[in-house]
Amino acid sequence: MEAGFSTLDYIVFAVYAVVIVAVGLWVSRSKKGVQKTAQEYFLADKSLTWWAVGASLIAANISAEHFIGTSGSGFAIGLGIAAYEWIAAITLIVVAKYFLPVFLKNGIYTMPQFLQSRFDKRVSTAFAVFWLLVYVFVNLTSVSYLGALALEKIMGVPLQYGIIGLLVFSGIYSIYGGLEAVAWTDVVQVVVLIAGGLVTTFLALDAVGEGSGVIAGMANLYEGAREHFVMIIPKGEIMIPDGTGGLKDAFQDLPGIAVILGGMWLTNIGYWGFNQYIIQKGLAAKSIEDAKRGLIFAGYLKILIPLLVVIPGIAAWVLINKSTPEELSAMLNVPFEQIGTIDKSDEAYPWLLKNFVPAGIRGLAFAALAAAIVSSLASMINSTSTIFTMDIYKVYFKPDASNNQLVRSGRLVAIVALGIAMLVAPQLASLDQVFQYIQEYTGYIYPGVVAVFCMGLFWRQITGNAALWTAIATIPAGIVFKVIYPDMPFILRMGYVFIILLLIASLISFAEKKTYQNPGYKADGRGSTTLNAGYFFMLLGIMMTIVGIVQFNTWASIGIESAFMMSAMLLMLGVILYTNVKMKTADPKSLTVDPELYNTATPFNLGAAGIILIVGLLYYFFWM
């Protein structure tokens, strides 16, 4: 088999590229003489159906950091990296039921806009700046770098040219058409990425099964890489490349039960609940019901994703570590020098595409990878322009801006963001697992994001000053913990920062004198469902704290200290529910939400129960 791309592969890939650009430009076309409105450009005119919402969410989420980065982590660590996907599936239920309905009811365009209405301009600006920095310097750069890495390994395209090409390609239709172009091309892209991803997985498993089929391949994969099929990773058991030629403990990336009790919830809640380029798809839904159903649909797709991106990484590990060079050469009928090696974990997926996917199909598989990359880049570009335009430009520079000026500002900012990403992305070449880079550096802001947004949504006591100082303290607290405890896994570090931020927000909120009468106040409160739930969560939090203290040394190897973050979260939830009923005064901008807004229909409830059951069974079978 010839390495690299054949003529047929180029034709297949070119057809994909033409179709995506054509669809993007066609759906975003404007009537002659009619200018796009801000709602059309930034929220697709609120026209997305449930299946479009779900497909667009996954297309925006699944990107190079999954096909390249998560496969790389699957190669290095194993199935444990799937925790990000499976915990996300459950998180989507919470977002659909409790977060998104409130945002839709308030008719917002951006997450900082919600913060301005709930707190004040200072808080919204702080988070607008946070997100802009993350999108441009972490998300856009990492996704374009990983995509360009695949282009380099498979097609021989120089890294810098690959980065420029991907960013320009994703910008062609997203800058012109806005979210409408992004969302509807995502529907096409998600079909391509799932179909192409499944083809690659099938061929990889068939290779591991030595031509006996997928079932035999899966059995051989499990037998040949038993240590890779573990969800809860104890300290000191799995050593992986550190990116500098040495080794590090996999516990640093996935610290035991912290993936269930600790900071991974902050990552997922912050990402799926309050991340602009993700939640923007839900904000563009036709109705609240379409938004809820779309997120449940996305939840089931998230359960499927490890089959597309983690299993191929494990297959690459088995193929290159359990086969001799002579066996690989005979299997592929090419000289071993042409097959190549995997020097970095993130090279696993490109290595598979190059060697085990035949001509023609390789073009489809690479189109799937490109679909994932381009759809995510397009979403990030659009959300960067949305936040800057609606939360910086409109607030500080042009409060009376017309629709035409808002759209023009969005397009200009998108072009600037692309330029910056082109310059920064090549600097990531020294990393071994870029997926972990993304998680760690976004982890510096997620504790503050989750604390401020969740308290803002549900707690009547939190004030603008408390939210501002919590936001200000977020990154410095993370840096201090990194300096003092450099060897602490970043997921555990996020948990401790979160506890500190909850204390800061609570102390400032309680210290500030309030005169606004709490509309939820009940002098007696006996029999109140809210009050009883508050007692329950506080008791649960106390019990979890006791378990963490008593078992701290005994279960240190599986990260039992993560229980402290979960106990803090439960205690805070209990305090929120208790004070919402028992305190006479509240912050004047606190939300009064009709409980009916949280009601969900039977199909939603059955869908949510199915997700929880499937994830529970997966953890049961692959625990340790």
Side-chain angles (χ1 to χ4, degrees), residues 3 28 81-82 146 164 169 210 253 326 374 378 396 403 421 470 527 532 546 578 603-604:
S28 59
I81 200 66
L146 287 170
I164 294 171
F169 179 45
E210 300 174 354
D253 293 333
E326 292 75 21
V374 170
Y396 290 100
N403 280 313
T470 301
N532 291 336
I546 293 171
Y578 176 85
F604 177 94

Side-chain angles (χ1 to χ4, degrees), residues 460-461 514-519 583-588 590:
R460 295 185 183 279
Q461 296 301 313
K514 305 175 185 72
T515 57
Y516 176 74
Q517 293 300 304
N518 179 5
M583 294 195 75
K584 292 182 179 180
T585 57
D587 185 76
S590 60

Side-chain angles (χ1 to χ4, degrees), residues 202 204-224 318:
F202 175 88
L205 289 175
D206 188 58
V208 175
E210 300 174 354
S212 299
V214 174
I215 303 300
M218 199 67 205
N220 288 356
L221 193 70
Y222 187 77
E223 287 300 318
V318 169

Side-chain angles (χ1 to χ4, degrees), residues 10 13 38 42 93 166 173 195 214 217 269 284 303 340 358 394 396-397 435 445 475 486-487 490 555 577 582 620:
Y10 283 111
F13 184 71
F42 297 117
I93 299 171
L166 287 169
Y173 65 89
V214 174
I269 292 172
I303 293 174
K394 193 174 189 300
Y396 290 100
F397 298 103
F435 183 77
I445 70 165
I475 293 178
D487 296 327
F490 71 88
W555 292 349
L577 295 173
K582 296 298 289 182
Y620 174 77

Side-chain angles (χ1 to χ4, degrees), residues 54-100:
S56 190
L57 275 170
I58 295 303
N61 166 240
I62 304 304
S63 185
E65 77 254 30
H66 284 83
F67 277 103
I68 306 297
T70 308
S71 287
S73 293
F75 179 89
I77 300 173
L79 192 62
I81 200 66
Y84 281 101
E85 312 305 312
W86 294 339
I87 297 297
I90 297 176
T91 303
L92 280 164
I93 299 171
V94 177
V95 174
K97 186 174 177 66
Y98 295 108
F99 299 169
L100 196 51

Side-chain angles (χ1 to χ4, degrees), residues 366-520:
F366 192 73
L369 173 59
I373 296 164
V374 170
S375 60
S376 291
L377 288 174
S379 291
M380 292 167 190
I381 292 165
N382 182 259
S383 291
T384 300
S385 66
T386 304
I387 287 181
F388 182 88
T389 300
M390 304 306 292
D391 299 305
I392 304 293
Y393 175 75
K394 193 174 189 300
V395 172
Y396 290 100
F397 298 103
K398 196 78 173 175
D400 58 346
S402 65
N403 280 313
N404 189 36
Q405 289 171 321
L406 292 174
V407 172
R408 189 167 64 239
S409 166
R411 287 172 174 161
L412 180 61
V413 169
I415 292 170
V416 172
L418 286 178
I420 294 172
M422 287 177 191
L423 295 174
V424 177
Q427 311 309 314
L428 303 185
S430 62
L431 301 175
D432 181 74
Q433 295 180 66
V434 174
F435 183 77
Q436 298 297 346
Y437 159 82
I438 297 168
Q439 302 308 323
E440 177 157 7
Y441 283 92
T442 54
Y444 277 103
I445 70 165
Y446 278 138
V449 168
V450 174
V452 171
F453 273 96
C454 286
M455 287 181 169
L457 278 167
F458 304 113
W459 197 23
R460 295 185 183 279
Q461 296 301 313
I462 187 168
T463 64
N465 287 330
L468 179 64
W469 283 106
T470 301
I472 291 172
T474 300
I475 293 178
I479 293 172
V480 167
F481 263 87
K482 175 73 172 175
V483 171
I484 298 176
Y485 302 105
D487 296 327
M488 180 183 287
F490 71 88
I491 290 178
L492 293 178
R493 197 166 67 236
M494 285 170 62
Y496 285 116
V497 170
F498 182 67
I499 294 171
I500 291 171
L501 296 179
L502 291 183
L503 287 171
I504 291 172
S506 300
L507 290 173
I508 295 174
S509 295
F510 284 130
E512 290 197 57
K513 188 176 180 181
K514 305 175 185 72
T515 57
Y516 176 74
Q517 293 300 304
N518 179 5

